Amino acid sequence: MFDDAPPEIQEKQRIGFADFPQDSGGVIRRQLLAMSIPENSPCSSYSLSLRVAIRYLSYLEEEGIQNINIEFDDQGNLKINEVLFSKLDKDAGGYHLPEEESRGYQILLNYRSSEKIAETMTLKELLDGSRDSKLADLVKNKIVLIGTDAAEVGYEDMHLTPYNKKIPGIMIHGHMISQILSAVLDGRTLLWWWPQALENLWVWGWSFIGGILGICWSRQVFGRWFIWMTVVAVPVTLWGICFLVFIEIGGWLPLVPSILGFFLTGITIIVYHQTINDSIFLSNNLQGK
């Protein structure tokens, strides 16, 4: 049950929900931009991060600093200028989300690598005036978020990130807003993934390589030392490709399924050939008797 907004904030365009979709273990890797709501609900259909980002971009346009065009394409994907925020599929990358967790307009959250993504000020510093001389520069043309990380007084709003570190919810909202604005204003890469068909082709390709090595092992086409080196080199190469693509251009390629396909196919081929050879050997021995 949602409460109505304060009397001074009645327009829904100024209200945003603050939900965090959680992965297993409570890790926050996804960002909700929007969700469907009942028509008579006091809640907003847009998230706090998207509301704040759009308001800031609108401010830049009003001030003549930046031209901003916000629209939705035919598939319902948000597009701001030339930046397309593609909806996260329930089976995107390494995900296989149940139906109830894949609802709403979700994207992958690309965290800033720096622990300190923005200047902070305590309530005490604000009240005692100790930073008044710098206050104007701190807030001019900036987004100001007000929140708390006071876990020591029982306020539990700490969330786990992929960096295996808990940070306050207000900071996660900062990462989410920063992701939207940086993508639009600075061209920062959004995290992306391949369509399911292309992912399947990628996994099958590495499985095929594993199968070829299995045949070479069984038929002794190359020396065993060469095959052992290849067996070690292929997963390392695969890991390196996935790592570089993720770090450099934000692509989430399927790593674990590819490695499993490589090894399982190769082992299956070797076991199959060994079984056939054992059967032939046993048959010849029986015929010799």
Side-chain angles (χ1 to χ4, degrees), residues 33 50 54 57 68-74 76-86 105 184:
L33 295 183
L50 183 58
I54 289 178
L57 292 172
I68 301 297
N69 180 46
I70 302 173
E71 60 183 3
F72 287 88
D73 65 14
D74 296 337
N77 290 311
L78 173 66
K79 187 176 182 181
I80 305 178
N81 288 354
E82 299 303 317
V83 180
L84 183 65
F85 295 85
S86 299
Y105 192 151
V184 175

Side-chain angles (χ1 to χ4, degrees), residues 91 111 130 221 248 268 274:
D91 54 0
Y111 284 89
S130 59
V221 176
E248 296 297 328
T268 300
Q274 188 63 45

Side-chain angles (χ1 to χ4, degrees), residues 195-265:
Q196 190 65 44
L198 194 54
E199 287 187 352
N200 291 340
L201 185 62
W202 169 267
V203 174
W204 279 109
W206 290 102
S207 300
F208 178 77
I209 294 174
I212 294 297
L213 287 177
I215 293 173
C216 292
W217 177 281
S218 301
R219 297 183 178 180
Q220 299 183 5
V221 176
F222 301 107
R224 293 291 173 88
W225 63 270
F226 174 81
I227 296 178
W228 274 116
M229 287 179 59
T230 307
V231 166
V232 173
V234 167
V236 172
T237 301
L238 179 57
W239 181 89
I241 292 173
C242 292
F243 179 77
L244 287 175
V245 169
F246 184 79
I247 294 298
E248 296 297 328
I249 56 177
W252 186 16
L253 307 186
L255 173 61
V256 175
S258 304
I259 292 178
L260 288 177
F262 171 77
F263 280 111
L264 290 177
T265 305

Side-chain angles (χ1 to χ4, degrees), residues 12 17 35-45:
K12 279 196 174 183
F17 62 83
M35 62 180 177
S36 300
I37 60 170
E39 187 175 345
N40 59 347
S41 172
C43 185
S44 167
S45 59

Side-chain angles (χ1 to χ4, degrees), residues 5-288:
E8 65 273 18
I9 307 178
Q10 288 298 321
E11 303 89 352
K12 279 196 174 183
Q13 291 75 15
R14 298 179 62 190
I15 304 171
F17 62 83
D19 301 63
F20 293 148
Q22 293 186 352
D23 288 348
S24 58
V27 182
I28 309 297
R29 295 189 180 92
R30 293 171 282 145
Q31 175 178 352
L32 262 172
L33 295 183
M35 62 180 177
S36 300
I37 60 170
E39 187 175 345
N40 59 347
S41 172
C43 185
S44 167
S45 59
Y46 289 168
S47 68
L48 171 65
S49 59
L50 183 58
R51 284 288 190 203
V52 172
I54 289 178
R55 183 66 192 92
Y56 183 77
L57 292 172
S58 299
Y59 162 77
L60 295 182
E61 187 169 40
E62 292 168 2
E63 295 295 317
I65 300 174
Q66 184 89 22
N67 292 325
I68 301 297
N69 180 46
I70 302 173
E71 60 183 3
F72 287 88
D73 65 14
D74 296 337
Q75 287 73 43
N77 290 311
L78 173 66
K79 187 176 182 181
I80 305 178
N81 288 354
E82 299 303 317
V83 180
L84 183 65
F85 295 85
S86 299
K87 290 181 181 178
L88 180 69
D89 300 325
K90 64 180 181 180
D91 54 0
Y95 275 120
H96 294 283
L97 294 171
E99 189 66 32
E100 62 273 10
E101 292 187 26
S102 61
R103 295 171 182 168
Y105 192 151
Q106 302 184 37
I107 61 175
L108 290 175
L109 176 53
N110 191 7
Y111 284 89
R112 293 284 184 178
S113 58
S114 173
E115 291 187 8
K116 186 177 181 180
I117 66 168
E119 194 71 36
T120 60
M121 178 181 291
T122 66
L123 181 60
K124 181 178 182 299
E125 290 174 331
L126 183 63
L127 294 178
D128 65 18
S130 59
R131 300 184 67 179
D132 281 358
S133 60
K134 298 181 179 179
L135 188 57
D137 291 332
L138 287 175
V139 301
K140 185 178 180 180
N141 293 332
K142 302 291 196 307
I143 292 172
V144 179
L145 299 179
I146 301 174
T148 180
D149 59 355
E152 67 275 7
V153 295
Y155 187 81
E156 294 295 337
D157 188 31
M158 304 295 289
H159 304 271
L160 192 62
T161 71
Y163 293 104
N164 199 30
K165 179 180 179 181
K166 285 190 173 184
I167 63 175
I170 189 68
M171 296 302 292
I172 293 183
H173 284 298
H175 281 280
M176 291 178 172
I177 295 169
S178 174
Q179 165 164 260
I180 298 172
L181 294 179
S182 295
V184 175
L185 301 177
D186 304 325
R188 185 170 181 252
T189 301
L190 294 168
L191 299 180
W192 54 268
W193 57 93
W194 279 337
Q196 190 65 44
L198 194 54
E199 287 187 352
N200 291 340
L201 185 62
W202 169 267
V203 174
W204 279 109
W206 290 102
S207 300
F208 178 77
I209 294 174
I212 294 297
L213 287 177
I215 293 173
C216 292
W217 177 281
S218 301
R219 297 183 178 180
Q220 299 183 5
V221 176
F222 301 107
R224 293 291 173 88
W225 63 270
F226 174 81
I227 296 178
W228 274 116
M229 287 179 59
T230 307
V231 166
V232 173
V234 167
V236 172
T237 301
L238 179 57
W239 181 89
I241 292 173
C242 292
F243 179 77
L244 287 175
V245 169
F246 184 79
I247 294 298
E248 296 297 328
I249 56 177
W252 186 16
L253 307 186
L255 173 61
V256 175
S258 304
I259 292 178
L260 288 177
F262 171 77
F263 280 111
L264 290 177
T265 305
I267 292 172
T268 300
I269 293 294
I270 293 173
V271 171
Y272 172 78
H273 275 271
Q274 188 63 45
T275 302
I276 294 296
N277 291 337
D278 290 344
S279 299
I280 294 174
F281 177 76
L282 179 59
S283 177
N284 290 338
N285 283 344
L286 290 175
Q287 290 176 4

